Amino acid sequence: MNDSTTPPEPPSDLGTAASDFRMATFRLARRLRAQRAVDTMSDGQFAVLAALKVFGPHTLAELATRERVTAPSMNRTVNSLEESGLLSRTPSLDDRRKITLDLTDEGRAVVVETARRRDAWLEGALAEITDDDRATLVRAAQIMQRLADR
């Protein structure tokens, strides 16, 4: 039996460790994704808004490549976000065929508020665990970032 003061036994093999890590990561990600400023927005739609906030204006093809989706799929997502007033399309002055996508003020506010809600939820969860567990998670975040950057 395991209580909150006894650390769990480490998995006996790498396959089990990978599976446990994957499941825990997905469960935490799901909890964080639930914290959003617009309940009706899909994860894919939010990812587009977040990419525009972090990386600046993009063309449709650049966004599709960044998000690893097809151009037609990205076009549907962008159309929906534009209809909602969360992003805008601006024709290039040099090449009228080229359209640049960027956040509107409302789209930027959605990204900022969603990030604030997610950070607040996670801060509350971290406040409920021990200092040692928080230090472990800080170190784990660094390792996870290295894995994600591969």
Side-chain angles (χ1 to χ4, degrees):
M1 183 171 213
N2 190 13
D3 64 28
S4 62
T5 60
T6 305
E9 288 294 317
S12 59
D13 65 271
L14 196 54
T16 300
S19 182
D20 290 351
F21 182 76
R22 175 182 50 81
M23 293 296 291
T25 300
F26 282 139
R27 288 190 69 212
L28 180 58
R30 191 175 317 123
R31 293 292 305 270
L32 286 169
R33 282 193 312 267
Q35 307 303 313
R36 54 178 79 166
V38 179
D39 288 335
T40 58
M41 183 176 294
S42 72
D43 293 335
Q45 289 171 323
F46 182 77
V48 168
L49 296 181
L52 291 172
K53 177 160 186 327
V54 171
F55 300 107
H58 279 59
T59 65
L60 184 77
E62 291 167 341
L63 269 177
T65 298
R66 175 172 297 285
E67 296 303 312
R68 297 180 178 170
V69 299
T70 64
S73 175
M74 182 55 69
N75 194 47
R76 286 188 295 275
T77 300
V78 164
N79 286 342
S80 174
L81 292 169
E82 183 182 31
E83 289 169 10
S84 298
L86 301 174
L87 65 75
S88 63
R89 296 177 196 246
T90 305
S92 169
L93 298 175
D94 300 333
D95 181 352
R96 289 299 209 182
R97 295 170 296 175
K98 183 178 174 184
I99 303 292
T100 302
L101 306 166
D102 201 2
L103 290 175
T104 62
D105 289 342
E106 186 178 347
R108 187 172 272 83
V110 166
V111 174
V112 168
E113 177 59 16
T114 297
R116 186 201 65 74
R117 288 179 185 203
R118 289 174 177 177
D119 288 347
W121 182 89
L122 192 52
E123 185 178 335
L126 291 173
E128 295 175 6
I129 63 175
T130 66
D131 290 343
D132 285 345
D133 283 350
R134 270 193 302 280
T136 298
L137 288 177
V138 167
R139 178 75 181 119
Q142 296 165 349
I143 296 166
M144 291 172 70
Q145 187 61 52
R146 283 198 317 265
L147 288 175
D149 290 343
R150 293 179 61 184

